[in-house]
Amino acid sequence: RLRVCKETFEYGNGCFGSCFSSVNYLLLRAASMLCKMGLLGKGSVTFGKNNLNWLVNHGNGKYKDAMRIIKLCKWLHWVCRREIKCEVVIWE
């Protein structure tokens, strides 16, 4: 089990697991590319390398960094008329 976890999870980074359900992975890949191009600014929260449905905190990530990514994913799905559900409970 440890070997599988080390190979598949973002081992050693702050990962809060699955972020979305009913998600279109092509749109998550598009959101990931937009983040890599710096269109959301420089944040310490990024998409996971092993699984795009995970958000990873690389040390000093803030709430607003995670929310930028979540809102971008929701917006892309809304534009493309695809369903997405956030599994993360957002307290605002």
Side-chain angles (χ1 to χ4, degrees), residues 61-82:
K62 306 269 189 264
Y63 169 79
K64 65 179 181 176
D65 299 330
M67 285 306 300
R68 278 191 207 128
I69 292 176
I70 291 170
K71 287 178 181 179
L72 172 66
C73 292
K74 285 182 174 183
W75 180 80
L76 281 173
H77 279 73
W78 177 79
V79 167
C80 295
R81 297 182 181 182
R82 301 285 184 207

mmCIF file of all heavy atoms in Angstrom, residues 61-82:
data_model
loop_
_atom_site.group_PDB
_atom_site.id
_atom_site.type_symbol
_atom_site.label_atom_id
_atom_site.label_comp_id
_atom_site.label_asym_id
_atom_site.label_seq_id
_atom_site.Cartn_x
_atom_site.Cartn_y
_atom_site.Cartn_z
ATOM 1 N N GLY A 61 0.758 28.128 0.244
ATOM 2 C CA GLY A 61 -0.460 28.429 -0.499
ATOM 3 C C GLY A 61 -1.522 29.060 0.381
ATOM 4 O O GLY A 61 -1.612 28.778 1.577
ATOM 5 N N LYS A 62 -2.290 29.909 -0.202
ATOM 6 C CA LYS A 62 -3.340 30.631 0.511
ATOM 7 C C LYS A 62 -4.709 30.157 0.024
ATOM 8 O O LYS A 62 -4.845 29.553 -1.036
ATOM 9 C CB LYS A 62 -3.208 32.130 0.261
ATOM 10 C CG LYS A 62 -1.842 32.699 0.573
ATOM 11 C CD LYS A 62 -1.797 33.158 1.990
ATOM 12 C CE LYS A 62 -0.535 33.932 2.280
ATOM 13 N NZ LYS A 62 0.505 33.177 2.858
ATOM 14 N N TYR A 63 -5.713 30.486 0.789
ATOM 15 C CA TYR A 63 -7.097 30.192 0.442
ATOM 16 C C TYR A 63 -7.430 30.766 -0.929
ATOM 17 O O TYR A 63 -8.031 30.098 -1.762
ATOM 18 C CB TYR A 63 -8.002 30.782 1.528
ATOM 19 C CG TYR A 63 -9.459 30.786 1.194
ATOM 20 C CD1 TYR A 63 -10.220 29.632 1.309
ATOM 21 C CD2 TYR A 63 -10.090 31.954 0.780
ATOM 22 C CE1 TYR A 63 -11.571 29.638 1.009
ATOM 23 C CE2 TYR A 63 -11.440 31.962 0.484
ATOM 24 C CZ TYR A 63 -12.169 30.806 0.608
ATOM 25 O OH TYR A 63 -13.500 30.820 0.303
ATOM 26 N N LYS A 64 -6.999 31.997 -1.190
ATOM 27 C CA LYS A 64 -7.327 32.648 -2.465
ATOM 28 C C LYS A 64 -6.676 31.930 -3.651
ATOM 29 O O LYS A 64 -7.231 31.916 -4.743
ATOM 30 C CB LYS A 64 -6.929 34.121 -2.446
ATOM 31 C CG LYS A 64 -5.449 34.371 -2.337
ATOM 32 C CD LYS A 64 -5.126 35.841 -2.345
ATOM 33 C CE LYS A 64 -3.622 36.025 -2.261
ATOM 34 N NZ LYS A 64 -3.233 37.406 -2.352
ATOM 35 N N ASP A 65 -5.519 31.297 -3.457
ATOM 36 C CA ASP A 65 -4.870 30.541 -4.534
ATOM 37 C C ASP A 65 -5.717 29.331 -4.928
ATOM 38 O O ASP A 65 -5.911 29.065 -6.115
ATOM 39 C CB ASP A 65 -3.475 30.063 -4.109
ATOM 40 C CG ASP A 65 -2.532 31.203 -3.785
ATOM 41 O OD1 ASP A 65 -2.675 32.286 -4.383
ATOM 42 O OD2 ASP A 65 -1.650 31.011 -2.929
ATOM 43 N N ALA A 66 -6.221 28.616 -3.932
ATOM 44 C CA ALA A 66 -7.078 27.459 -4.213
ATOM 45 C C ALA A 66 -8.395 27.908 -4.830
ATOM 46 O O ALA A 66 -8.892 27.285 -5.778
ATOM 47 C CB ALA A 66 -7.328 26.678 -2.931
ATOM 48 N N MET A 67 -8.949 29.002 -4.344
ATOM 49 C CA MET A 67 -10.227 29.488 -4.866
ATOM 50 C C MET A 67 -10.111 29.950 -6.322
ATOM 51 O O MET A 67 -11.044 29.778 -7.096
ATOM 52 C CB MET A 67 -10.782 30.618 -3.998
ATOM 53 C CG MET A 67 -11.362 30.131 -2.686
ATOM 54 S SD MET A 67 -12.608 28.841 -2.869
ATOM 55 C CE MET A 67 -13.853 29.649 -3.843
ATOM 56 N N ARG A 68 -8.985 30.518 -6.706
ATOM 57 C CA ARG A 68 -8.786 30.912 -8.113
ATOM 58 C C ARG A 68 -8.906 29.699 -9.028
ATOM 59 O O ARG A 68 -9.558 29.751 -10.066
ATOM 60 C CB ARG A 68 -7.417 31.548 -8.302
ATOM 61 C CG ARG A 68 -7.357 32.978 -7.943
ATOM 62 C CD ARG A 68 -6.032 33.569 -8.415
ATOM 63 N NE ARG A 68 -5.691 34.676 -7.561
ATOM 64 C CZ ARG A 68 -4.536 34.838 -6.930
ATOM 65 N NH1 ARG A 68 -3.578 33.965 -7.080
ATOM 66 N NH2 ARG A 68 -4.325 35.871 -6.165
ATOM 67 N N ILE A 69 -8.267 28.617 -8.640
ATOM 68 C CA ILE A 69 -8.299 27.405 -9.456
ATOM 69 C C ILE A 69 -9.707 26.808 -9.481
ATOM 70 O O ILE A 69 -10.204 26.424 -10.540
ATOM 71 C CB ILE A 69 -7.263 26.387 -8.944
ATOM 72 C CG1 ILE A 69 -5.848 26.919 -9.202
ATOM 73 C CG2 ILE A 69 -7.453 25.034 -9.612
ATOM 74 C CD1 ILE A 69 -4.746 26.057 -8.651
ATOM 75 N N ILE A 70 -10.347 26.746 -8.333
ATOM 76 C CA ILE A 70 -11.705 26.194 -8.267
ATOM 77 C C ILE A 70 -12.663 27.016 -9.118
ATOM 78 O O ILE A 70 -13.458 26.481 -9.890
ATOM 79 C CB ILE A 70 -12.183 26.104 -6.798
ATOM 80 C CG1 ILE A 70 -11.388 25.020 -6.069
ATOM 81 C CG2 ILE A 70 -13.684 25.845 -6.721
ATOM 82 C CD1 ILE A 70 -11.599 24.985 -4.568
ATOM 83 N N LYS A 71 -12.581 28.341 -9.012
ATOM 84 C CA LYS A 71 -13.466 29.212 -9.798
ATOM 85 C C LYS A 71 -13.185 29.101 -11.299
ATOM 86 O O LYS A 71 -14.110 29.121 -12.106
ATOM 87 C CB LYS A 71 -13.341 30.662 -9.333
ATOM 88 C CG LYS A 71 -13.994 30.887 -7.984
ATOM 89 C CD LYS A 71 -13.826 32.317 -7.526
ATOM 90 C CE LYS A 71 -14.467 32.510 -6.160
ATOM 91 N NZ LYS A 71 -14.311 33.878 -5.666
ATOM 92 N N LEU A 72 -11.912 28.970 -11.673
ATOM 93 C CA LEU A 72 -11.570 28.794 -13.089
ATOM 94 C C LEU A 72 -12.181 27.504 -13.630
ATOM 95 O O LEU A 72 -12.767 27.496 -14.715
ATOM 96 C CB LEU A 72 -10.051 28.774 -13.286
ATOM 97 C CG LEU A 72 -9.556 28.402 -14.682
ATOM 98 C CD1 LEU A 72 -9.955 29.471 -15.697
ATOM 99 C CD2 LEU A 72 -8.063 28.171 -14.694
ATOM 100 N N CYS A 73 -12.070 26.426 -12.872
ATOM 101 C CA CYS A 73 -12.630 25.142 -13.310
ATOM 102 C C CYS A 73 -14.144 25.218 -13.444
ATOM 103 O O CYS A 73 -14.714 24.735 -14.425
ATOM 104 C CB CYS A 73 -12.241 24.036 -12.335
ATOM 105 S SG CYS A 73 -10.483 23.657 -12.368
ATOM 106 N N LYS A 74 -14.790 25.844 -12.475
ATOM 107 C CA LYS A 74 -16.246 25.996 -12.543
ATOM 108 C C LYS A 74 -16.643 26.841 -13.751
ATOM 109 O O LYS A 74 -17.600 26.525 -14.453
ATOM 110 C CB LYS A 74 -16.782 26.638 -11.264
ATOM 111 C CG LYS A 74 -16.804 25.705 -10.087
ATOM 112 C CD LYS A 74 -17.398 26.420 -8.885
ATOM 113 C CE LYS A 74 -17.573 25.501 -7.710
ATOM 114 N NZ LYS A 74 -18.208 26.168 -6.571
ATOM 115 N N TRP A 75 -15.892 27.907 -13.997
ATOM 116 C CA TRP A 75 -16.205 28.793 -15.132
ATOM 117 C C TRP A 75 -16.032 28.065 -16.462
ATOM 118 O O TRP A 75 -16.896 28.159 -17.337
ATOM 119 C CB TRP A 75 -15.319 30.035 -15.086
ATOM 120 C CG TRP A 75 -15.591 30.979 -16.203
ATOM 121 C CD1 TRP A 75 -16.612 31.885 -16.291
ATOM 122 C CD2 TRP A 75 -14.858 31.097 -17.420
ATOM 123 N NE1 TRP A 75 -16.549 32.560 -17.475
ATOM 124 C CE2 TRP A 75 -15.480 32.095 -18.192
ATOM 125 C CE3 TRP A 75 -13.734 30.462 -17.930
ATOM 126 C CZ2 TRP A 75 -15.006 32.455 -19.446
ATOM 127 C CZ3 TRP A 75 -13.271 30.827 -19.170
ATOM 128 C CH2 TRP A 75 -13.905 31.817 -19.915
ATOM 129 N N LEU A 76 -14.932 27.325 -16.631
ATOM 130 C CA LEU A 76 -14.705 26.577 -17.870
ATOM 131 C C LEU A 76 -15.818 25.560 -18.117
ATOM 132 O O LEU A 76 -16.282 25.407 -19.240
ATOM 133 C CB LEU A 76 -13.356 25.865 -17.841
ATOM 134 C CG LEU A 76 -12.128 26.712 -18.137
ATOM 135 C CD1 LEU A 76 -10.867 25.896 -17.894
ATOM 136 C CD2 LEU A 76 -12.158 27.239 -19.546
ATOM 137 N N HIS A 77 -16.244 24.890 -17.071
ATOM 138 C CA HIS A 77 -17.329 23.917 -17.225
ATOM 139 C C HIS A 77 -18.648 24.618 -17.557
ATOM 140 O O HIS A 77 -19.442 24.117 -18.339
ATOM 141 C CB HIS A 77 -17.467 23.056 -15.965
ATOM 142 C CG HIS A 77 -16.476 21.950 -15.913
ATOM 143 N ND1 HIS A 77 -15.135 22.153 -15.658
ATOM 144 C CD2 HIS A 77 -16.620 20.620 -16.097
ATOM 145 C CE1 HIS A 77 -14.516 21.003 -15.687
ATOM 146 N NE2 HIS A 77 -15.385 20.051 -15.949
ATOM 147 N N TRP A 78 -18.868 25.769 -16.958
ATOM 148 C CA TRP A 78 -20.091 26.533 -17.240
ATOM 149 C C TRP A 78 -20.114 26.987 -18.701
ATOM 150 O O TRP A 78 -21.117 26.849 -19.387
ATOM 151 C CB TRP A 78 -20.187 27.735 -16.303
ATOM 152 C CG TRP A 78 -21.371 28.596 -16.565
ATOM 153 C CD1 TRP A 78 -22.661 28.377 -16.191
ATOM 154 C CD2 TRP A 78 -21.375 29.839 -17.289
ATOM 155 N NE1 TRP A 78 -23.467 29.396 -16.624
ATOM 156 C CE2 TRP A 78 -22.702 30.313 -17.302
ATOM 157 C CE3 TRP A 78 -20.383 30.587 -17.910
ATOM 158 C CZ2 TRP A 78 -23.059 31.493 -17.923
ATOM 159 C CZ3 TRP A 78 -20.744 31.764 -18.521
ATOM 160 C CH2 TRP A 78 -22.063 32.209 -18.528
ATOM 161 N N VAL A 79 -18.986 27.499 -19.188
ATOM 162 C CA VAL A 79 -18.887 27.962 -20.576
ATOM 163 C C VAL A 79 -19.142 26.809 -21.549
ATOM 164 O O VAL A 79 -19.819 26.974 -22.558
ATOM 165 C CB VAL A 79 -17.509 28.612 -20.854
ATOM 166 C CG1 VAL A 79 -17.260 28.804 -22.324
ATOM 167 C CG2 VAL A 79 -17.396 29.941 -20.117
ATOM 168 N N CYS A 80 -18.605 25.643 -21.235
ATOM 169 C CA CYS A 80 -18.748 24.478 -22.117
ATOM 170 C C CYS A 80 -20.008 23.662 -21.821
ATOM 171 O O CYS A 80 -20.211 22.613 -22.422
ATOM 172 C CB CYS A 80 -17.513 23.597 -22.003
ATOM 173 S SG CYS A 80 -16.020 24.411 -22.592
ATOM 174 N N ARG A 81 -20.812 24.144 -20.904
ATOM 175 C CA ARG A 81 -22.074 23.484 -20.532
ATOM 176 C C ARG A 81 -21.866 22.044 -20.088
ATOM 177 O O ARG A 81 -22.560 21.128 -20.515
ATOM 178 C CB ARG A 81 -23.083 23.569 -21.661
ATOM 179 C CG ARG A 81 -23.468 24.985 -21.962
ATOM 180 C CD ARG A 81 -24.481 25.066 -23.033
ATOM 181 N NE ARG A 81 -24.774 26.490 -23.266
ATOM 182 C CZ ARG A 81 -25.646 26.901 -24.124
ATOM 183 N NH1 ARG A 81 -26.328 26.055 -24.860
ATOM 184 N NH2 ARG A 81 -25.860 28.186 -24.273
ATOM 185 N N ARG A 82 -20.879 21.871 -19.239
ATOM 186 C CA ARG A 82 -20.590 20.565 -18.648
ATOM 187 C C ARG A 82 -20.827 20.640 -17.147
ATOM 188 O O ARG A 82 -20.639 21.675 -16.530
ATOM 189 C CB ARG A 82 -19.129 20.154 -18.895
ATOM 190 C CG ARG A 82 -18.762 20.066 -20.325
ATOM 191 C CD ARG A 82 -19.342 18.816 -20.923
ATOM 192 N NE ARG A 82 -18.897 18.702 -22.302
ATOM 193 C CZ ARG A 82 -19.570 18.072 -23.209
ATOM 194 N NH1 ARG A 82 -20.711 17.496 -22.925
ATOM 195 N NH2 ARG A 82 -19.115 18.000 -24.433
#
